[in-house]
């Protein structure tokens, strides 16, 4: 039968997903569809369901673009209309929906039996992806035999949906901020408020990325930081070339200092001791041949180390 489940999942750690979303959005990756595909793959990996699929909402329909674990091609190209089928109900009701025995469920329409039953799915679980109070899509996981769905199964699915929601929300915000600057090719013409917002975004990104262990993601992040620095550089200030290299932590601390944060505030942001922050600042200032933190920030910006 069809059923709804209470969304009791705890707030997951979005750090890795959030940083990946920012990096993907600014680094020219495919975007939302790639984030969705990653989430669908995670459903198969984290839950006991062997098949998972999902789609983002376009207009009043879910367009399934990602499928993992399927044994047939029946789910390919599936478009689920609002209120129709299990996913259409999850989309409209903005809550998870469950069909323990999909074929005999009386609480949903059976518009998509050819696709779902054609794949051999017996139990199907649909979770909406909520962003800002709006269902941006639906992710599904299913099994080929009738299977009970309790918290052990549902919680990982909820967590994946939350992580995808976080990625989409961050991606939307990144695109919004980029839109604020209509002259990306002409940094000198960038409004001061936009430049400061980019600098705040950069500092926040650094503070989050400080605890990311994924080497590939960090490498992409390094390239992104260089792009942000170039994007917000003021062409009226002469660039300088420095034969020094700041450590990642020195850059993290300096990026926060550039926003006017005190040592105590930087320590709280980066989860460091205040004495450690002071040590990183002094090291960065020495490398940049600067007598004050303000001078260090100015030099780092002119050298393209900071935006």
């Amino acid at each position: 039968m069809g059923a709804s489940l209470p969304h009791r999942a705890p707030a997951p750690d979005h750090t890795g997903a959030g940083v990946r979303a920012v990096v993907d959005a600014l680094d020219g990756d495919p975007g939302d569809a790639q984030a969705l595909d990653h989430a669908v793959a995670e459903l198969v990996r984290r839950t006991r369901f062997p098949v998972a699929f999902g789609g983002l909402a376009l207009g009043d329909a879910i367009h399934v673009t990602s499928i993992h674990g399927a044994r047939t091609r029946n789910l390919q190209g599936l478009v689920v209309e609002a209120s129709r089928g299990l996913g259409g109900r999850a989309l409209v009701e903005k809550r998870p929906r469950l069909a323990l025995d999909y074929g005999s469920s009386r609480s949903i329409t059976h518009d998509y039996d050819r696709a779902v039953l054609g794949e051999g799915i017996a139990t199907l679980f649909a979770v909406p992806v909520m962003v800002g109070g709006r269902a941006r899509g639906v992710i599904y996981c299913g099994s080929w035999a009738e299977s009970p769905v309790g918290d052990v199964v549902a919680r990982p699915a909820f967590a994946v949906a939350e992580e995808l929601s976080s990625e989409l929300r961050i991606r939307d915000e990144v695109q919004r901020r980029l839109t604020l600057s209509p002259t990306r090719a002409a940094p000198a013409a960038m409004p001061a408020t936009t430049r400061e917002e980019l600098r705040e975004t950069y500092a926040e990104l650094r503070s989050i990325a400080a605890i990311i262990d994924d080497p590939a993601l960090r490498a992409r992040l390094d390239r992104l930081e260089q792009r942000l620095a170039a994007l917000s550089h003021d062409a009226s200030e002469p660039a300088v070339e420095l034969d020094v290299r700041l450590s990642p932590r020195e850059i993290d601390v300096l990026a926060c200092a550039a926003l006017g944060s005190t040592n105590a505030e930087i320590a709280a942001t980066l989860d460091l001791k205040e004495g450690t922050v002071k040590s990183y600042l002094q090291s960065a200032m020495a490398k940049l041949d600067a007598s004050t933190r303000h001078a260090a920030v100015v030099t780092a910006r002119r050298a393209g180390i900071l935006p």
Side-chain angles (χ1 to χ4, degrees), residues 202 206 218 220-230:
Y202 174 91
R206 290 284 318 180
R218 287 308 300 260
R220 292 180 62 199
L221 184 58
D222 288 341
R223 294 194 298 270
L224 175 57
E225 289 163 7
Q226 294 173 11
R227 292 180 60 190
L228 279 177

Side-chain angles (χ1 to χ4, degrees), residues 81-101:
E81 300 291 336
S83 299
R84 314 301 294 178
L86 191 71
R89 286 196 61 181
L91 182 72
V92 172
E93 296 177 6
K94 301 179 181 180
R95 59 176 177 170
R97 301 295 309 184
L98 170 67
L100 289 175
D101 183 355

Side-chain angles (χ1 to χ4, degrees), residues 4 8 10 14 70 77 106 174 185 204 216 224:
S4 62
R8 297 194 297 270
H14 301 317
R106 297 182 178 180
V174 170
E204 182 178 2
L224 175 57

Side-chain angles (χ1 to χ4, degrees), residues 39-261:
V40 171
E42 284 294 292
L43 278 179
V44 173
R45 188 178 72 83
R46 297 192 208 177
T47 71
R48 298 175 180 176
F49 291 95
V51 59
F53 56 100
L56 297 176
L58 297 176
D60 293 326
I62 305 160
H63 293 249
V64 173
T65 58
S66 179
I67 305 168
H68 286 261
R71 299 183 295 190
T72 73
R73 300 170 61 89
N74 285 283
L75 296 171
Q76 293 185 3
L78 179 63
V79 178
V80 179
E81 300 291 336
S83 299
R84 314 301 294 178
L86 191 71
R89 286 196 61 181
L91 182 72
V92 172
E93 296 177 6
K94 301 179 181 180
R95 59 176 177 170
R97 301 295 309 184
L98 170 67
L100 289 175
D101 183 355
Y102 184 91
S104 63
S105 175
R106 297 182 178 180
S107 63
I108 61 173
T109 68
H110 287 271
D111 303 66
Y112 312 109
D113 283 6
R114 182 175 180 179
V116 177
L117 298 180
E119 169 57 30
I121 293 174
T123 294
L124 187 63
F125 185 37
V127 183
V129 179
M130 303 300 300
V131 179
R134 180 168 65 96
R136 284 281 299 276
V138 175
I139 54 176
Y140 303 78
C141 44
S143 62
W144 296 303
E146 187 172 332
S147 177
V149 177
D151 275 356
V152 173
V153 176
R155 287 168 70 88
F158 291 153
V160 171
E162 290 284 0
E163 291 166 12
L164 177 56
S165 171
S166 178
E167 289 209 39
L168 295 177
R169 183 166 53 252
I170 293 173
R171 192 180 299 279
D172 289 346
E173 178 62 12
V174 170
Q175 293 300 333
R176 184 191 71 80
R177 294 193 179 196
L178 287 178
T179 304
L180 292 176
S181 175
T183 55
R184 293 183 65 185
M190 183 184 295
T193 54
T194 301
R195 183 179 292 108
E196 286 306 309
E197 189 166 9
L198 279 175
R199 288 169 176 170
E200 290 176 6
T201 301
Y202 174 91
E204 182 178 2
L205 185 59
R206 290 284 318 180
S207 67
I208 297 174
I211 59 174
I212 294 298
D213 297 323
D214 185 338
L217 185 56
R218 287 308 300 260
R220 292 180 62 199
L221 184 58
D222 288 341
R223 294 194 298 270
L224 175 57
E225 289 163 7
Q226 294 173 11
R227 292 180 60 190
L228 279 177
L231 177 64
S232 59
H233 175 66
D234 189 344
S236 65
E237 298 179 354
V240 297
E241 294 186 8
L242 297 177
D243 189 23
V244 298
R245 182 178 180 81
L246 299 184
S247 72
R249 269 309 196 190
E250 288 169 347
I251 298 175
D252 294 339
V253 170
L254 205 57
C256 292
L259 300 179
S261 300

